Amino acid sequence: MGRALRDDEAAGEVRMQPPEEAAPHGRSGARGSGEGEESEDEETRWRRRLREEYSGGEEAVSDSYVDVYGGLPFVGESDDEWADRIWREMQARRNTAVTEGAAAFIADLRADAARRAAAAAEHSRRILEEEQAKDDAWRRRTLAAIEAVPATPTLDVTLARASYDERWLQLDEEAATAAADLMPLHYSDIPWPLEPPTMRGQVRGSGGVPERPPLPPSVESLRDFFLLGAAGASDVKRRLRIELLRWHPDKFGARFGSRLAAGGMAQRDAVLSRVHQLAQVLMQVLGRGASGTNTRVY
């Protein structure tokens, strides 16, 4: 191999000589055997391919030598040993390049996966924040609506029942007078059951009508109110008959119709609507009886 490289350098020097000096050599080469020329060409090509394979396209390669460390044989190194060393170095370089390329590819994959995971986490965080904001807004609206509704005071049934009986007594006394038909009757003058107490002497006849119709009382609450303190079955029957006569729509209208009309049609309509509502619940109370069963009370 060393001899081949030295011959290649000598050939380069011959090519650099003037044409007249190189001609004898050319003629001498022409007079050589055809097998020598073919062998020399193959050897030259082999050396060039070996240098190109070794350089890997990175080092400067000429026709005469390879410009890398270890490109020439060591002292005492045979041609086969030199070729084996060059081959091992070439394989080592290729393996290193493959390993580095694989490491770079894996690093790119990991970086892309990390970016995707970060984007997914950010998206989830935004969705969670939006849902929390919606939940907080709903809670604020709910609390504001609850605070806007005035608190309903707990009704003292005993006091309410006493006020109910006293107001009905007052209303009955007024109806017994001669001038009763000329006195206007307003919604606030009616002794409605299950309402806060309004004792004698308090302001009446305010003329106000509820903005919203009150909800009908439950059967149980109205039954407990009417039968509060009842003593025995006969007392239960007596009380239920009294309430049925009071809140019967036809009887109520015949008794107080003219006074309600004197107070205004709005007053009359609101009162009669509430009377019909209470009469329906009272009929259910009569159907269930004092014990709450479906035993009718006569």
Side-chain angles (χ1 to χ4, degrees):
M1 293 294 293
R3 185 171 62 255
L5 292 176
R6 288 192 295 274
D7 292 343
D8 193 19
E9 293 176 359
E13 293 177 358
V14 171
R15 285 194 295 269
M16 294 299 294
Q17 293 178 1
E20 57 275 10
E21 296 180 1
H25 296 278
R27 288 192 297 270
S28 174
R31 288 191 297 269
S33 64
E35 294 180 359
E37 292 179 359
E38 183 178 357
S39 177
E40 183 177 359
D41 293 340
E42 291 179 357
E43 187 174 345
T44 301
R45 286 195 298 270
W46 182 83
R47 289 197 301 269
R48 183 176 294 107
R49 290 181 60 185
L50 184 61
R51 289 194 298 270
E52 290 175 355
E53 288 290 337
Y54 183 77
S55 65
E58 298 178 1
E59 293 83 3
V61 180
S62 66
D63 291 337
S64 59
Y65 67 98
V66 181
D67 190 16
V68 292
Y69 177 79
L72 297 177
F74 294 143
V75 178
E77 187 176 29
S78 65
D79 293 343
D80 292 338
E81 291 173 346
W82 176 75
D84 291 340
R85 180 169 58 84
I86 294 300
W87 176 256
R88 288 194 302 271
E89 292 178 359
M90 289 167 53
Q91 292 298 107
R93 292 179 60 186
R94 288 181 179 177
N95 293 337
T96 301
V98 170
T99 302
E100 292 176 353
F105 179 74
I106 294 174
D108 291 340
L109 288 180
R110 290 177 177 174
D112 183 66
R115 286 192 298 269
R116 291 177 181 272
E122 178 65 19
H123 182 67
S124 300
R125 185 187 62 80
R126 288 198 302 267
I127 292 177
L128 180 61
E129 290 180 352
E130 291 175 359
E131 293 300 325
Q132 289 178 346
K134 291 179 182 178
D135 184 68
D136 292 341
W138 177 82
R139 290 177 182 274
R140 288 194 297 269
R141 290 195 302 269
T142 303
L143 291 176
I146 294 174
E147 293 175 356
V149 177
T152 303
T154 303
L155 179 66
D156 190 331
V157 180
T158 303
L159 292 179
R161 177 70 199 202
S163 174
Y164 176 80
D165 291 337
E166 184 175 358
R167 290 179 63 188
W168 265 111
L169 179 62
Q170 181 182 359
L171 195 61
D172 291 338
E173 291 175 354
E174 291 176 354
T177 62
D181 293 340
L182 302 178
M183 299 173 58
L185 190 64
H186 300 89
Y187 184 93
S188 58
D189 298 331
I190 306 299
W192 303 111
L194 294 172
E195 288 191 357
T198 303
M199 298 299 182
R200 183 186 300 271
Q202 290 184 283
V203 178
R204 298 174 59 225
S206 60
V209 177
E211 296 181 359
R212 297 180 181 178
L215 296 176
S218 65
V219 177
E220 292 77 10
S221 62
L222 191 62
R223 181 195 63 218
D224 294 343
F225 182 82
F226 285 153
L227 302 181
L228 180 66
S234 59
D235 192 16
V236 169
K237 293 180 180 179
R238 181 185 63 82
R239 290 192 182 197
L240 292 179
R241 288 193 186 100
I242 291 175
E243 300 302 337
L244 183 60
L245 292 176
R246 282 176 177 175
W247 299 109
H248 192 283
D250 294 338
K251 296 182 182 300
F252 192 95
R255 187 178 184 187
F256 301 108
S258 59
R259 295 184 62 182
L260 292 173
M265 295 304 297
Q267 295 286 334
R268 179 179 178 275
D269 293 342
V271 170
L272 293 180
S273 176
R274 181 71 187 279
V275 169
H276 278 82
Q277 183 184 76
L278 290 175
Q280 292 176 356
V281 180
L282 180 57
M283 292 301 297
Q284 297 180 40
V285 173
L286 294 174
R288 296 186 182 184
S291 62
T293 62
N294 290 329
T295 303
R296 189 174 298 275
V297 178
Y298 297 98

